[in-house]
Each structure stands twice: as C-alpha cells, then as structure tokens.
Amino acid sequence: MKSAYYPLGTFVVFVLGWYAISILFEVPAYLLPRPEAVIERLGQDFGYLMRHAWVTTYETLGGFLLSVLIGVPLAFIIVSSSIVEKAIMPWLVLSQTFPKVALAPLIVVWFGLGIVPKILVTFLVAFFPVVISTVVGLRSMENEMLELARSMKASRFQIFWRFRLPLALPSLFSGLKVSVAFSVVGAVIAEWVGATEGLGYLLLTANANLDTALLFAVLAILTVLGIVLYYAVEMFEQRLIPWHASVRLKEVPAL
Amino acid sequence: MKSIIALEDVSKRFGPFTALESISLDVAEGEFVSIVGTSGCGKSTLLRLVAGLMPTSGGSIRIADREVTGPTDDVGIAFQTPVLLPWRNVRQNIELPLEVRKLDVGRHQAELTRMIDLVGLRGFEDRHPYQLSGGMQQRVALCRALIHDPSLVLMDEPFGALDAMTREQMNLEIQRIWMETKKTIVLITHSIIEAVFLADRIVVMQSRPGRIASVIDVKLPRPRSFTDIATPEFQDACNQVRLLMNATGFTE
Ligand SMILES: Nc1ncnc2c1ncn2[C@@H]1O[C@H](COP(=O)(O)OP(=O)(O)OP(=O)(O)O)[C@@H](O)[C@H]1O
Ligand SMILES: [Mg+2]
C-alpha cells in the first residue's frame, strides 16, 4: 500500500497549488472555484451527480465492451488473412486521423437521441487501440516458439489457442487499458451532442451557466470514473497474466 | 546397421547465401552422433532440416526410410534456446508435447516425476520459467524433448548454459538414457570433450559454405566416465577433433 503515498502526495501538492493560485491571484470563483466549494457541491448534489455519472458509466462500459467484442475478433481476422489486412488496415489507420466528434451529429441523425448513438461514438473512439494491440500481440510470437509448436505437430488451431493467444495477452491488455481510458472520453464527447443526461451533458450546462463549481465537480467524478475503470482492467490483467513482466516487475528501479 | 537418418547431397540456401552444401550423412539406428563446428557453420540449420522445420534447397533427407516433408512424429527436439511457455510452470511445460500430441498426460506422470528428479529440478515443479536460471530452463527443455519417449532425439547445444559440474552430470545422464533406451541421438555441441565423451561418431563441420569436413569414429568403451578423460585414448580422440577444427580455420 506504500505505493499509494506517492500519488496521494502529488494530489496534496496539486490541491495546495490550487489554493495558492485562487488566494494569491484572487481569482474570482466563476473562473476558479476554491477546492472546498467543489467538495461542498459534490456533497450537496451527490444524488443528482451520481444519477448522471451512472448514465456516463454505462455508456462508457457499453462502448468499451463493444470495442472488445468487435476489436478482438477483427484483429483475429486481420492476422489470419493478409487479404483482409491489406483491404481494411489502411482504412482503419486513416479513420484514426478523422475527428470522431465530427461524426457525432451524423450518428444522432441516424440513430436518434437514445443510448445507441452514445455507445457508438464511444466505440468509435475506443476500439482502435484494441485492434492494434491485439494484432501486435498476435504477431509477437518468435520464430523459435513457432518451430517448437510445429515440431510437436501442433495444428493451426492448437498453435492459435495454446501459443499465439496467450502470448498476445500482455499486448492486448495494454490496448484495453488505453481503450478504457478513451471510452470515458468517448462517452463525454457523445453526450455533447443530443443528450439530456450524463456527465458530458452536465459539463455543457455547467459551462453555459458559468457554474464552475459544478464543472469541477463533474471533472472530479470523471477522473474517479477513469481511474476505477483503468484499475479494474489492470486487476483483471493481474489475474490473467501474472507471469508477464509488466505485472511481475511492478517494482523495478527507474531507468 | 539400419540407418534411421539418411542425408544425401543436402544443401540449404537463404536467398543468395549458401548455408549448407553437399551434406551427405547416414546415422544408424541407436547411434550417438555429435556435430561440432565453428559458430555460424550451419549446425542449427542442419538440425532444422532434419527436424522438417524448413525445406531443403536440394538433396534428400529421409528418416526411417520416409522422405522428410515436415516434422516427424517419433522425434524430440531440444532447441538452442529453451523457448519455454512463460505462463506454464515447469511441470506444465514438460507436459506440453503430450497435450499437443493428444497423448495421455496421466499415464506419463511417473515418467515425468522421474525425469524431473533426474535433471535435478525436484522442488521446482511449480515454478514458472522466469523463476528459473538459464541452466534450469535448458534442463526443462531437455525433459520436454524426451517426455514422449521419441526414438530419435535432436539436441542443439542443450548444455550451453550449465556449469561444468552440472554439465558432466547431464552428460552422464544422457549417456545412461541412451544406453538404456537405445534411442538415436544427434547432439550439437561446442565442447570437444562433450562430443568425444558422448558420441560414437563426431561430425566436424566447416563453414562458408557449411559442409562436413570429416567424420571421426570414437571407439572408446562404454559406459564412459569422466575419470577416463585423462586416458591417452580419450586425449587422442580430442586432439584428433581439435586438429581437424584447426585445419578448418577454427581454434577454440
Ligand atoms: N532463417 C535464416 N535466414 C537467413 N540466414 C540464416 C537463417 N538461419 C540461419 N542463417 C544463416 O545460416 C548460417 C548458419 O546458421 P546456423 O544457425 O545454422 O549456425 P550454427 O552453426 O548453429 O551457429 P551457432 O554455433 O552459433 O549456433 C549463418 O550464417 C546464419 O546467418
Ligand atoms: Mg546454432
């Protein structure tokens, strides 16, 4: 648990800096609220905030799960067929330079105002890291490992399940961690277009009303949401690939 | 005696580079053959060809009278690097060939335990590869090559990472296994003493392009022990190999 001291220390320094700035420069509250005002707001509107946070959470999870459900099999297909790879990989890469926010209004036009367009936008933002990291992972088998498998007369199926897939997990998980963080961003962006609830929607209304205390409260909740989801994936990773260096060698000296 | 491996005028090119040229060699059933030669002369490549892991560029390779077109069933291979699966512990790594070949894992448990004992890994069965030293990993890889009791065993410098003492022990074990089971063993090694100690015949290779420089018969009585090393016969055999290797431009 000692490792928690460091980020907590950073947090304290951050809050103190926040105080110092708002007091020293006499920043008006509508620009930068005091930390206690934000905390007060969090307490006051707790139920209200949680209701919206819940909406954003399931949009995030929905988009993330969709990313995994589509991204991982897509990576399998890309790796096993060079034709598919050549046909879609350039488009996938190109699609990443495309601002997905710009698609949000279109998606609203197509799919209405409900949950579906939100999940779709989240998916668009979050699925790329899953695909890429899974592809890289599945390709990471060294030649010697393949020779070992072949020397035992492993079938293609066995090579995939017993060798390639386990070897891909470390890379896949680093992609999942990026993706889950992107999902939160995706859900917020999605709620900027045609939404009536969710933390993204709250951000917009708070902004319109110059209600910076609410704005900061929402940001705090978003941060917590992102951290919780990230560590949930990481916990899952530790259960699944305890043998991998990224998991075992947490306590390595800095470079 | 019946030959189990028959190489006839085998060559291997990687693009414009000729790795092996006109290799002809017969290995008899139950024979122990060591291959020595400078680094990069094509020993591992030769082993891969025999194992059916890559196609030849010319000539023919037959194992038990069947043309080699891919990996053969009754063969065990210990590669130059251990290549253990990091998510499996020692026991599971050794069981891997049984699972992949769909053999009865339960039926091999006694044999597995015996082999783990034999290579000195008792107490480490549940460790994962990252918790093992390089030499221990090599020993696991050796067990994995032998677990399905193949009649032909191909070994590529399996003892490179072992200390002198453990290496001698492993050599004795290999000799014992070989004498008991009448397997055919092809062993690549950098150690002249190891080659002489274990082999019936030593294949000395030269490089650029990789060819067989000569084949030496080792006529020392079995079982051999490391106290024999000092005997003139043993020294003669070593010197003979050493001279040949010097002649091919190599000094150890
Ligand atoms: N897949 C490959 N592609 C291209 N060249 C290769 C390949 N494999 C081996 N070679 C070349 O073939 C030659 C023989 O390689 P090989 O690994 O068989 O040597 P070796 O005798 O086993 O050496 P060492 O004792 O160092 O293990 C080397 O010059 C190497 O560069
Ligand atoms: Mg080699």
Side-chain angles (χ1 to χ4, degrees):
Chain A
M1 257 353 263
K2 264 213 177 103
S3 58
Y5 293 154
Y6 296 98
L8 279 179
T10 319
F11 183 70
V12 169
V13 170
F14 173 77
V15 172
L16 287 180
W18 180 354
Y19 258 116
I21 290 171
S22 52
I23 294 170
L24 283 178
F25 300 102
E26 293 176 2
V27 187
Y30 70 87
L31 288 184
L32 183 65
R34 298 273 178 90
E36 69 265 25
V38 175
I39 293 169
E40 201 182 298
R41 192 55 180 271
L42 276 170
Q44 246 171 29
D45 290 343
F46 190 73
Y48 173 72
L49 284 168
M50 280 304 114
R51 194 167 58 73
H52 287 279
W54 171 239
V55 173
T56 306
T57 304
Y58 69 66
E59 287 167 1
T60 303
L61 286 177
F64 175 63
L65 288 181
L66 197 63
S67 302
V68 176
L69 286 179
I70 294 183
V72 173
L74 186 63
F76 287 2
I77 297 171
I78 289 174
V79 171
S80 48
S81 157
S82 63
I83 295 175
V84 174
E85 181 188 3
K86 282 181 205 142
I88 66 175
M89 209 53 187
W91 293 107
L92 277 181
V93 174
L94 199 69
S95 75
Q96 289 313 295
T97 60
F98 190 83
K100 273 132 299 197
V101 204
L103 280 181
L106 189 63
I107 288 178
V108 169
V109 171
W110 286 346
F111 295 96
L113 299 173
I115 175 90
V116 176
K118 314 292 186 297
I119 289 182
L120 280 180
V121 172
T122 308
F123 160 77
L124 285 180
V125 173
F127 92 108
F128 190 66
V130 178
V131 178
I132 290 299
S133 63
T134 312
V135 167
V136 170
L138 289 171
R139 292 240 166 94
S140 68
M141 184 148 106
E142 320 142 44
N143 194 35
E144 274 141 348
M145 189 74 88
L146 185 63
E147 285 187 334
L148 173 73
R150 289 187 43 222
S151 76
M152 298 173 192
K153 300 188 103 178
S155 63
R156 274 186 72 150
F157 184 79
Q158 282 177 322
I159 289 179
F160 187 84
W161 286 104
R162 288 182 179 275
F163 296 84
R164 233 177 242 292
L165 191 60
L167 277 174
L169 288 180
S171 172
L172 197 159
F173 266 103
S174 56
L176 290 186
K177 286 193 262 184
V178 175
S179 170
V180 84
F182 277 21
S183 294
V184 180
V185 180
V188 169
I189 291 175
E191 287 166 355
W192 284 353
V193 182
T196 52
E197 52 183 357
L199 293 175
Y201 163 77
L202 275 194
L203 274 183
L204 280 193
T205 42
N207 214 22
N209 301 333
L210 282 184
D211 188 351
T212 30
L214 178 62
L215 209 138
F216 272 70
V218 171
L219 289 182
I221 295 175
L222 278 175
T223 310
V224 172
L225 178 61
I227 292 174
V228 168
L229 290 180
Y230 183 90
Y231 280 104
V233 175
E234 194 166 272
M235 259 171 59
F236 198 55
E237 176 185 35
Q238 282 174 4
R239 312 256 343 217
L240 220 59
I241 51 169
W243 47 270
H244 191 253
S246 68
V247 174
R248 313 184 257 115
L249 303 180
K250 278 259 142 125
E251 308 282 314
V252 288
L255 288 178
Chain B
M1 237 203 281
K2 193 161 154 271
S3 76
I4 183 157
I5 308 175
L7 295 142
E8 223 183 284
D9 198 24
V10 172
S11 62
K12 179 68 189 177
R13 282 183 294 279
F14 295 108
F17 177 76
T18 304
L20 292 172
E21 198 175 77
S22 50
I23 304 275
S24 294
L25 179 73
D26 275 6
V27 177
E29 206 171 324
E31 195 178 18
F32 199 126
V33 172
S34 290
I35 301 178
V36 296
T38 38
S39 176
C41 71
K43 303 182 294 293
S44 299
T45 305
L46 183 59
L47 204 78
R48 284 197 172 88
L49 294 181
V50 172
L53 293 170
M54 43 165 78
T56 59
S57 307
S60 98
I61 301 179
R62 299 170 75 80
I63 292 184
D65 282 332
R66 301 253 293 270
E67 193 72 32
V68 172
T69 51
T72 319
D73 252 327
D74 204 15
V75 177
I77 308 175
F79 293 91
Q80 196 162 1
T81 49
V83 275
L84 304 178
L85 305 190
W87 56 91
R88 286 176 163 246
N89 64 26
V90 167
R91 182 174 279 275
Q92 293 164 335
N93 261 293
I94 301 176
E95 284 171 353
L96 181 71
L98 302 177
E99 290 173 23
V100 171
R101 291 172 193 271
K102 303 208 167 65
L103 301 172
D104 187 351
V105 176
R107 214 170 47 87
H108 285 78
Q109 284 309 308
E111 174 61 12
L112 202 153
T113 309
R114 205 182 64 79
M115 280 201 340
I116 288 178
D117 268 356
L118 203 131
V119 299
L121 285 173
R122 182 191 285 182
F124 292 93
E125 292 93 335
D126 298 326
R127 299 262 195 122
H128 280 77
Y130 66 87
Q131 296 164 313
L132 302 176
S133 72
M136 290 162 106
Q137 295 187 19
Q138 277 192 326
R139 282 178 273 162
V140 176
L142 188 67
C143 292
R144 185 181 58 193
L146 295 173
I147 187 68
H148 65 294
D149 196 24
S151 57
L152 172 60
V153 183
L154 308 173
M155 296 193 272
D156 196 348
E157 293 177 43
F159 309 127
L162 297 184
D163 62 279
M165 279 303 290
T166 319
R167 190 166 186 154
E168 287 188 2
Q169 254 168 33
M170 297 298 294
N171 284 345
L172 286 168
E173 278 312 325
I174 290 290
Q175 174 176 248
R176 198 186 54 70
I177 292 174
W178 175 75
M179 289 180 71
E180 274 177 15
T181 59
K182 287 287 139 215
K183 292 180 191 307
T184 310
I185 301 185
V186 177
L187 169 85
I188 294 175
T189 174
H190 271 147
S191 156
I192 294 177
I193 293 180
E194 187 168 275
V196 172
F197 180 79
L198 285 171
D200 295 326
R201 279 195 299 158
I202 301 174
V203 176
V204 182
M205 288 181 63
Q206 64 181 59
S207 61
R208 252 162 266 211
R211 310 156 157 271
I212 294 179
S214 83
V215 180
I216 300 168
D217 286 307
V218 183
K219 294 233 166 58
L220 300 170
R222 307 256 188 190
R224 299 171 189 164
S225 88
F226 276 94
T227 48
D228 298 342
I229 292 184
T231 61
E233 292 82 4
F234 199 100
Q235 290 301 324
D236 274 353
C238 286
N239 287 335
Q240 209 182 340
V241 177
R242 201 164 281 131
L243 279 174
L244 268 164
M245 291 183 81
N246 287 344
T248 65
F250 175 72
T251 32
E252 198 177 46

